[in-house]
Each structure stands twice: as C-alpha cells, then as structure tokens.
Amino acid sequence: MSAEKKKELQVAAIENGTVIDHIPPARLFKVASLLGLEKMEGNTITIGNNLYSQKVGNKGMIKISDKFFKEEEINRIALVAPNVVLNVIKDYEVVEKKKVALPDVIKGLVKCNNPKCITNNEPMPTVFEVVDKVNGTIKCHYCERKIKKDDIIIK
Amino acid sequence: MEEIHKKSAGDFFILYLFLNFVYIERNTKSCMKNKSLVSIDQCSKEDILRILDNAGEFEKNPNRRLLEGKVAATLFFEPSTRTRLSFETAVNRLGGRVIGFQDASTTSSSKGETLKDTILMVSNYADLIIMRHYLEGAARYASEVTDIPIINAGDGANQHPSQTMLDLYSIRKTQGKLEDLTITMVGDLKYGRTVHSLIVGMSHFNPTFHFVAPNELRMPDEQKTFCDERGIKYYEHTDFTEDVINETDILYMTRVQRERFTDLEEYERVKNVYILKNEMLENSRDNLKILHPLPRVNEISYDVDDNPKAYYIQQARNGLYAREAIICEVLGINV
Ligand SMILES: [Zn+2]
C-alpha cells in the first residue's frame, strides 16, 4: 500500500461520519465533553491522542461514525480548540473539510466570570462578543468584562 | 343590515392595517435606534454635543413643562441619595411625575422576583425608567426586555453615563470648548468607573491625558489600549507633582479607598501622596478647574474650596441640567 493511501485510511477509516483532527492533546478530553460524546449511544467513537503529525507535532483526533455536527455544536469546539479541522466523511471519502472558527457572537454557551454580572443572577442566556478572534478574547455583552481564552468557563 | 355589517368589517380591516403599521413602525424604530442610555460609548460625538447644548438650555431655564402628563419611574435597587435626588429634581422641574423605590429591600425583588418581571411590571405604568442596580449589566438587560426607554443611573462598577455627561458639560462650560484639552486624572484609576467613562467621552475631542496613580491602582491596560488605538496621548505618573498640575486644564480628582488595596502597607505609603493642597496650585494655569465626582473623603484639602479653581460643587449642580437633557433625549422630546 502506498504511503499516501495508508495515510488516507488512517483518517478516513469510517464509512460515514465526522473526523475531528488537529486537536491540541491537552484539550482533547475537553473537546470530547463539549461535544457530549459520553452521552452518544449507537455511534462508534474512536479517540486517539498524542498522535504524531508532521504539520503540528502531537495532536489528538476523534472519529465518530454516523454523526454530522450542526454549526452551533462546532462553535462549542472553537472556544477551546480554535484550529481544529473537521472532516466530513461520506462513503469513506472526505467530502468536506471544515475549519472551525469563532463566531462573532456566542449565545448561551459561556458562563460570565464576573459574579456581580446580571447573567449570573437572573434566569437569562449569556451573550458574548468575540473581540479578538486570534487570541480568543471574548467580552460579556452585559457587564462588559473581557475574558481571555484560558479563563473561559463553558456552561 | 347586511350593508352596515359589511361596512364595519371593512372599517375594522382598515383599523387592523393601521395597527399593524403602527406596530411595525415602532419595531423598526427600536431596531434602528435604541433610545435607552445605558453606556457612554453608545453616544456619538454628535449625540454628546446635542445633549450638552440642550443641557445649556436647561441651565438658562431649568423649569420647563416638557414632561407634562408623563410618569418617570426611579428604580434604585441600590440606594444612592445623591443621584436619585438629582434625577427626581430633573423630572419635577420638567413637569413630570415620579414613582419608584429607593431601596431594593422594600420591593418584590427581595422576595425573589426577577429583574425582568419588575421592569415589565413598571413598564405598564411609566413612560421612562431611571434605574440603579448593584449588578453589572442590569440596565442593558432591562433595555432589552422593555419597549420604554431606560436610563442607567449606575450598574455596579460598570457604567454611569449621566455622571460622564455632567463631567463633559462642566469641562465645556469652564473651558469654553472640549477640543485639545489636557486632563489629569488622580487617585484610583483602576476601579474608578468615572475616569474610564470620561476617557471614552473625551476621546472624540483630541485630549491629552496624565494618569497619576499608585502602582496598585494604575490605569488598566484596557483603557490604555483604547487610547493607543485612537492615537490619544497619555502619560503615566506615580508622583503627584506641581509639574504635572502646571500643564493641566482639568484636574480630575478621585477617592483612594483603603479597601481597594491588597497590600495595606502600600496604602499607608501612598494615602497622603494623592491629596491636593492649595499651595500646589500656585503656578497652575489660569483656566485650570478642579473636578471630583463626589463625595470626597480627604483627597482635596479644605483650603482648596475657596480657590476659584475649585469647581466640584458647581459640577454637581450641572448634573441637574445634564439629566434634564438626557431625559428629553431618550424620550425624543425636542428642547
Ligand atoms: Zn458578564
């Protein structure tokens, strides 16, 4: 088997589903829990970590059969692993490669770090504006507190 | 009989169309421009200048019955006598009526009612809500749940736009202009929301800032980045010296509070460094004016009070005119 073919198989070894690639190893399990993998029944899930990649060094990878993600589910990952690549697999072929990107506005996903923020004291969804897509800094629409990527608390 | 029935159905249909139109008009209006005043950064340069011009009209004549027949609610979930009296005086001098409360412990919110429900309940009665809340973002949220205008009279450590407006009014009145002024801010520049908002308000007018503060209470990076992005010049100092005062047009003093310090030794070291004494003003500019958001503790010696450059008492009075102008602005009343 050619090296290229082998490489392709490693990525595309599911018939239909999603392969999430280039996950930073330290964020792998966070990504898994954000996607709710532990609650997924009936889908075959393969998780690999510390896999060698020429491009990015070590990386994590998750393969989920028969699962295609919606936009807002993908946005969840962008918060903790902004450079992840999603491969959509149909009939063993990669039919689409999606780069996850932070949206301009994040609704209801993140908890505000400010205990005196109205969103932590009233039954209401949070709203954050992404003020720095490169560094992943977000700003609460209500109390105006800025939160850096590493301090983001997912609800 | 048949004829009459038909006609009234037609009338109803026209009424229905009309109501629909009104409804749509109202909705587009609120989408295009939210008439609430939640934060100073929502005000353009033109908005600020228009409100200040109107405040000038109210200074000439504070008693004008522009709010005849209107009801304003002052909802103070956190007590602030000074701000509440200023707003309620403004409503009264405009001929409006005031309802409200001045302490959340006496309202249903202490029984666990949500802010949303309180705001919607009051919206049934009032044409305007002026609110102060201990939670940050409360006024913005209130402005999203109701159709009537909200004026933010302070939300925790976040925003207090009417204070900024009266500061800007005081600056323009004493200097004759807002452009090209040198403003020195002294004291607690880390937690002081008034100085942060004043930077935003002044940013339209090519200011130069001097930030004078102890290391623990320095101006945060966020505000400095804001200045950098707009090409606004600023200089940071830890010493409060006459050299800085002598090149200043507006000296903006703030309280240095003991509870803000993690290191109490640092507090003891600096507590007397940021006090303005009358002799420090000897070689200051003729047009210099001293501002302070009040209440003051000891950061301005009492011997400064008699100096004609002291302006903090008149500054507070300007709050009335600025608030009359803000109330008319959010209600769309031409002054
Ligand atoms: Zn917040």
Side-chain angles (χ1 to χ4, degrees), chain A residues 114 116-118 121-124 141-144 146, chain B residues 114-116 134-137 140-141 144 158-159 222:
Chain A
N114 177 4
K116 287 189 72 190
C117 177
I118 185 72
N121 294 274
E122 179 91 358
M124 61 185 282
H141 169 67
Y142 293 99
C143 74
E144 304 180 30
K146 279 189 182 168
Chain B
T114 61
L115 175 64
K116 183 180 177 179
Y134 47 90
L135 293 172
E136 289 149 31
R140 185 171 301 282
Y141 180 57
E144 290 172 356
N158 190 28
Q159 297 283 342
E222 187 173 344

mmCIF file of all heavy atoms in Angstrom, chain A residues 114 116-118 121-124 141-144 146, chain B residues 114-116 134-137 140-141 144 158-159 222:
data_model
loop_
_atom_site.group_PDB
_atom_site.id
_atom_site.type_symbol
_atom_site.label_atom_id
_atom_site.label_comp_id
_atom_site.label_asym_id
_atom_site.label_seq_id
_atom_site.Cartn_x
_atom_site.Cartn_y
_atom_site.Cartn_z
ATOM 1 N N ASN A 114 -17.728 37.075 36.014
ATOM 2 C CA ASN A 114 -17.980 38.133 36.983
ATOM 3 C C ASN A 114 -19.183 37.762 37.850
ATOM 4 O O ASN A 114 -20.308 37.740 37.373
ATOM 5 C CB ASN A 114 -18.245 39.431 36.198
ATOM 6 C CG ASN A 114 -18.603 40.594 37.099
ATOM 7 O OD1 ASN A 114 -18.584 40.473 38.328
ATOM 8 N ND2 ASN A 114 -18.928 41.723 36.481
ATOM 9 N N LYS A 116 -20.745 39.425 39.910
ATOM 10 C CA LYS A 116 -21.706 40.526 40.011
ATOM 11 C C LYS A 116 -22.380 40.831 38.672
ATOM 12 O O LYS A 116 -23.049 41.859 38.523
ATOM 13 C CB LYS A 116 -21.018 41.785 40.544
ATOM 14 C CG LYS A 116 -20.697 41.674 42.038
ATOM 15 C CD LYS A 116 -20.211 43.002 42.597
ATOM 16 C CE LYS A 116 -21.354 44.005 42.694
ATOM 17 N NZ LYS A 116 -20.856 45.374 42.999
ATOM 18 N N CYS A 117 -22.191 39.954 37.688
ATOM 19 C CA CYS A 117 -22.828 40.161 36.392
ATOM 20 C C CYS A 117 -24.306 39.754 36.478
ATOM 21 O O CYS A 117 -24.653 38.754 37.103
ATOM 22 C CB CYS A 117 -22.127 39.330 35.323
ATOM 23 S SG CYS A 117 -22.899 39.459 33.701
ATOM 24 N N ILE A 118 -25.158 40.531 35.813
ATOM 25 C CA ILE A 118 -26.597 40.234 35.812
ATOM 26 C C ILE A 118 -26.875 38.812 35.326
ATOM 27 O O ILE A 118 -27.775 38.140 35.828
ATOM 28 C CB ILE A 118 -27.370 41.283 34.971
ATOM 29 C CG1 ILE A 118 -28.883 41.080 35.033
ATOM 30 C CG2 ILE A 118 -26.921 41.314 33.515
ATOM 31 C CD1 ILE A 118 -29.520 41.441 36.331
ATOM 32 N N ASN A 121 -27.204 36.175 37.916
ATOM 33 C CA ASN A 121 -28.173 36.426 38.970
ATOM 34 C C ASN A 121 -29.608 36.465 38.464
ATOM 35 O O ASN A 121 -30.523 36.786 39.219
ATOM 36 C CB ASN A 121 -27.840 37.754 39.658
ATOM 37 C CG ASN A 121 -26.517 37.696 40.398
ATOM 38 O OD1 ASN A 121 -26.458 37.276 41.541
ATOM 39 N ND2 ASN A 121 -25.441 38.087 39.723
ATOM 40 N N GLU A 122 -29.791 36.192 37.192
ATOM 41 C CA GLU A 122 -31.110 36.312 36.572
ATOM 42 C C GLU A 122 -31.241 35.133 35.599
ATOM 43 O O GLU A 122 -30.259 34.781 34.946
ATOM 44 C CB GLU A 122 -31.145 37.658 35.812
ATOM 45 C CG GLU A 122 -32.418 37.975 35.084
ATOM 46 C CD GLU A 122 -33.432 38.756 35.913
ATOM 47 O OE1 GLU A 122 -33.168 39.045 37.107
ATOM 48 O OE2 GLU A 122 -34.505 39.048 35.368
ATOM 49 N N PRO A 123 -32.429 34.498 35.529
ATOM 50 C CA PRO A 123 -32.557 33.398 34.558
ATOM 51 C C PRO A 123 -32.575 33.932 33.131
ATOM 52 O O PRO A 123 -33.619 34.355 32.632
ATOM 53 C CB PRO A 123 -33.900 32.752 34.930
ATOM 54 C CG PRO A 123 -34.652 33.814 35.658
ATOM 55 C CD PRO A 123 -33.659 34.739 36.286
ATOM 56 N N MET A 124 -31.429 33.967 32.498
ATOM 57 C CA MET A 124 -31.312 34.551 31.153
ATOM 58 C C MET A 124 -30.090 33.956 30.465
ATOM 59 O O MET A 124 -29.158 33.522 31.135
ATOM 60 C CB MET A 124 -31.133 36.075 31.263
ATOM 61 C CG MET A 124 -29.868 36.471 32.037
ATOM 62 S SD MET A 124 -29.697 38.251 32.318
ATOM 63 C CE MET A 124 -29.125 38.789 30.703
ATOM 64 N N HIS A 141 -21.557 40.862 26.906
ATOM 65 C CA HIS A 141 -22.425 41.893 26.337
ATOM 66 C C HIS A 141 -23.086 42.721 27.444
ATOM 67 O O HIS A 141 -23.491 43.847 27.232
ATOM 68 C CB HIS A 141 -23.481 41.186 25.480
ATOM 69 C CG HIS A 141 -24.610 42.038 25.010
ATOM 70 N ND1 HIS A 141 -24.435 43.072 24.103
ATOM 71 C CD2 HIS A 141 -25.931 42.026 25.319
ATOM 72 C CE1 HIS A 141 -25.610 43.643 23.876
ATOM 73 N NE2 HIS A 141 -26.537 43.036 24.595
ATOM 74 N N TYR A 142 -23.203 42.150 28.634
ATOM 75 C CA TYR A 142 -23.914 42.843 29.719
ATOM 76 C C TYR A 142 -22.962 43.592 30.655
ATOM 77 O O TYR A 142 -23.014 44.812 30.731
ATOM 78 C CB TYR A 142 -24.792 41.844 30.474
ATOM 79 C CG TYR A 142 -25.914 41.344 29.587
ATOM 80 C CD1 TYR A 142 -25.831 40.110 28.940
ATOM 81 C CD2 TYR A 142 -27.022 42.143 29.331
ATOM 82 C CE1 TYR A 142 -26.828 39.690 28.083
ATOM 83 C CE2 TYR A 142 -28.030 41.726 28.476
ATOM 84 C CZ TYR A 142 -27.934 40.500 27.860
ATOM 85 O OH TYR A 142 -28.909 40.089 27.001
ATOM 86 N N CYS A 143 -22.068 42.893 31.334
ATOM 87 C CA CYS A 143 -21.222 43.586 32.320
ATOM 88 C C CYS A 143 -19.953 44.132 31.679
ATOM 89 O O CYS A 143 -19.185 44.840 32.327
ATOM 90 C CB CYS A 143 -20.882 42.668 33.482
ATOM 91 S SG CYS A 143 -19.664 41.400 33.103
ATOM 92 N N GLU A 144 -19.691 43.792 30.413
ATOM 93 C CA GLU A 144 -18.566 44.307 29.633
ATOM 94 C C GLU A 144 -17.208 43.757 30.080
ATOM 95 O O GLU A 144 -16.170 44.249 29.668
ATOM 96 C CB GLU A 144 -18.560 45.848 29.615
ATOM 97 C CG GLU A 144 -19.881 46.407 29.075
ATOM 98 C CD GLU A 144 -19.944 47.929 29.034
ATOM 99 O OE1 GLU A 144 -18.903 48.564 28.872
ATOM 100 O OE2 GLU A 144 -21.059 48.468 29.166
ATOM 101 N N LYS A 146 -14.031 41.527 30.015
ATOM 102 C CA LYS A 146 -13.323 40.768 28.978
ATOM 103 C C LYS A 146 -12.769 39.485 29.586
ATOM 104 O O LYS A 146 -12.249 39.490 30.695
ATOM 105 C CB LYS A 146 -12.176 41.601 28.404
ATOM 106 C CG LYS A 146 -12.643 42.594 27.368
ATOM 107 C CD LYS A 146 -11.473 43.249 26.668
ATOM 108 C CE LYS A 146 -11.992 44.276 25.672
ATOM 109 N NZ LYS A 146 -10.920 45.141 25.176
ATOM 110 N N THR B 114 -37.758 38.339 39.538
ATOM 111 C CA THR B 114 -36.650 38.617 38.633
ATOM 112 C C THR B 114 -36.668 40.094 38.240
ATOM 113 O O THR B 114 -37.699 40.762 38.319
ATOM 114 C CB THR B 114 -36.758 37.778 37.350
ATOM 115 O OG1 THR B 114 -37.987 38.115 36.685
ATOM 116 C CG2 THR B 114 -36.730 36.288 37.643
ATOM 117 N N LEU B 115 -35.507 40.562 37.790
ATOM 118 C CA LEU B 115 -35.416 41.944 37.291
ATOM 119 C C LEU B 115 -36.371 42.133 36.119
ATOM 120 O O LEU B 115 -37.062 43.144 36.012
ATOM 121 C CB LEU B 115 -33.975 42.248 36.866
ATOM 122 C CG LEU B 115 -33.757 43.611 36.210
ATOM 123 C CD1 LEU B 115 -34.064 44.743 37.183
ATOM 124 C CD2 LEU B 115 -32.318 43.746 35.701
ATOM 125 N N LYS B 116 -36.410 41.123 35.250
ATOM 126 C CA LYS B 116 -37.280 41.194 34.079
ATOM 127 C C LYS B 116 -38.733 41.458 34.483
ATOM 128 O O LYS B 116 -39.395 42.340 33.923
ATOM 129 C CB LYS B 116 -37.178 39.885 33.300
ATOM 130 C CG LYS B 116 -37.984 39.859 32.023
ATOM 131 C CD LYS B 116 -37.799 38.520 31.329
ATOM 132 C CE LYS B 116 -38.659 38.448 30.080
ATOM 133 N NZ LYS B 116 -38.483 37.170 29.389
ATOM 134 N N TYR B 134 -27.106 47.141 41.698
ATOM 135 C CA TYR B 134 -25.785 46.701 42.167
ATOM 136 C C TYR B 134 -25.162 45.677 41.221
ATOM 137 O O TYR B 134 -23.976 45.397 41.296
ATOM 138 C CB TYR B 134 -25.874 46.124 43.591
ATOM 139 C CG TYR B 134 -27.023 45.144 43.762
ATOM 140 C CD1 TYR B 134 -26.858 43.788 43.537
ATOM 141 C CD2 TYR B 134 -28.294 45.610 44.101
ATOM 142 C CE1 TYR B 134 -27.917 42.909 43.659
ATOM 143 C CE2 TYR B 134 -29.367 44.729 44.227
ATOM 144 C CZ TYR B 134 -29.170 43.383 44.006
ATOM 145 O OH TYR B 134 -30.227 42.518 44.109
ATOM 146 N N LEU B 135 -25.967 45.098 40.317
ATOM 147 C CA LEU B 135 -25.431 44.108 39.381
ATOM 148 C C LEU B 135 -25.020 44.764 38.067
ATOM 149 O O LEU B 135 -25.728 45.615 37.532
ATOM 150 C CB LEU B 135 -26.456 43.008 39.116
ATOM 151 C CG LEU B 135 -26.771 42.115 40.312
ATOM 152 C CD1 LEU B 135 -27.930 41.187 39.981
ATOM 153 C CD2 LEU B 135 -25.545 41.303 40.748
ATOM 154 N N GLU B 136 -23.885 44.323 37.540
ATOM 155 C CA GLU B 136 -23.348 44.919 36.323
ATOM 156 C C GLU B 136 -24.051 44.332 35.093
ATOM 157 O O GLU B 136 -24.199 43.122 34.975
ATOM 158 C CB GLU B 136 -21.829 44.703 36.282
ATOM 159 C CG GLU B 136 -21.150 45.569 37.335
ATOM 160 C CD GLU B 136 -19.882 44.990 37.919
ATOM 161 O OE1 GLU B 136 -19.171 44.258 37.225
ATOM 162 O OE2 GLU B 136 -19.611 45.288 39.101
ATOM 163 N N GLY B 137 -24.471 45.212 34.198
ATOM 164 C CA GLY B 137 -25.210 44.782 33.016
ATOM 165 C C GLY B 137 -26.716 44.822 33.210
ATOM 166 O O GLY B 137 -27.470 44.542 32.274
ATOM 167 N N ARG B 140 -28.537 47.291 30.801
ATOM 168 C CA ARG B 140 -28.578 46.825 29.406
ATOM 169 C C ARG B 140 -29.647 45.738 29.248
ATOM 170 O O ARG B 140 -30.433 45.751 28.301
ATOM 171 C CB ARG B 140 -27.217 46.298 28.951
ATOM 172 C CG ARG B 140 -27.226 45.927 27.473
ATOM 173 C CD ARG B 140 -25.846 45.602 26.925
ATOM 174 N NE ARG B 140 -24.879 46.672 27.054
ATOM 175 C CZ ARG B 140 -24.814 47.735 26.269
ATOM 176 N NH1 ARG B 140 -25.665 47.879 25.277
ATOM 177 N NH2 ARG B 140 -23.910 48.667 26.469
ATOM 178 N N TYR B 141 -29.667 44.822 30.204
ATOM 179 C CA TYR B 141 -30.670 43.759 30.133
ATOM 180 C C TYR B 141 -32.077 44.356 30.216
ATOM 181 O O TYR B 141 -32.962 43.987 29.433
ATOM 182 C CB TYR B 141 -30.439 42.755 31.267
ATOM 183 C CG TYR B 141 -31.426 41.620 31.283
ATOM 184 C CD1 TYR B 141 -31.574 40.804 30.156
ATOM 185 C CD2 TYR B 141 -32.208 41.362 32.399
ATOM 186 C CE1 TYR B 141 -32.485 39.765 30.161
ATOM 187 C CE2 TYR B 141 -33.118 40.317 32.412
ATOM 188 C CZ TYR B 141 -33.260 39.527 31.290
ATOM 189 O OH TYR B 141 -34.165 38.497 31.289
ATOM 190 N N GLU B 144 -33.349 45.647 27.092
ATOM 191 C CA GLU B 144 -33.693 44.622 26.090
ATOM 192 C C GLU B 144 -35.057 43.975 26.348
ATOM 193 O O GLU B 144 -35.633 43.385 25.443
ATOM 194 C CB GLU B 144 -32.606 43.537 26.060
ATOM 195 C CG GLU B 144 -31.307 44.046 25.464
ATOM 196 C CD GLU B 144 -30.154 43.047 25.601
ATOM 197 O OE1 GLU B 144 -30.338 41.986 26.224
ATOM 198 O OE2 GLU B 144 -29.081 43.346 25.082
ATOM 199 N N ASN B 158 -19.811 49.162 36.659
ATOM 200 C CA ASN B 158 -19.754 49.220 35.204
ATOM 201 C C ASN B 158 -19.911 50.626 34.628
ATOM 202 O O ASN B 158 -18.927 51.278 34.309
ATOM 203 C CB ASN B 158 -20.777 48.237 34.619
ATOM 204 C CG ASN B 158 -20.632 48.053 33.131
ATOM 205 O OD1 ASN B 158 -19.535 48.198 32.603
ATOM 206 N ND2 ASN B 158 -21.713 47.759 32.456
ATOM 207 N N GLN B 159 -21.137 51.118 34.483
ATOM 208 C CA GLN B 159 -21.365 52.372 33.750
ATOM 209 C C GLN B 159 -22.219 53.344 34.561
ATOM 210 O O GLN B 159 -23.043 52.930 35.380
ATOM 211 C CB GLN B 159 -22.075 52.093 32.418
ATOM 212 C CG GLN B 159 -21.281 51.250 31.449
ATOM 213 C CD GLN B 159 -20.177 52.036 30.754
ATOM 214 O OE1 GLN B 159 -20.179 53.256 30.725
ATOM 215 N NE2 GLN B 159 -19.204 51.323 30.193
ATOM 216 N N GLU B 222 -6.729 47.960 29.435
ATOM 217 C CA GLU B 222 -7.852 48.099 28.511
ATOM 218 C C GLU B 222 -8.049 49.560 28.100
ATOM 219 O O GLU B 222 -8.245 49.870 26.923
ATOM 220 C CB GLU B 222 -9.125 47.547 29.155
ATOM 221 C CG GLU B 222 -10.280 47.505 28.187
ATOM 222 C CD GLU B 222 -11.508 46.798 28.743
ATOM 223 O OE1 GLU B 222 -11.395 46.073 29.751
ATOM 224 O OE2 GLU B 222 -12.578 46.986 28.151
#
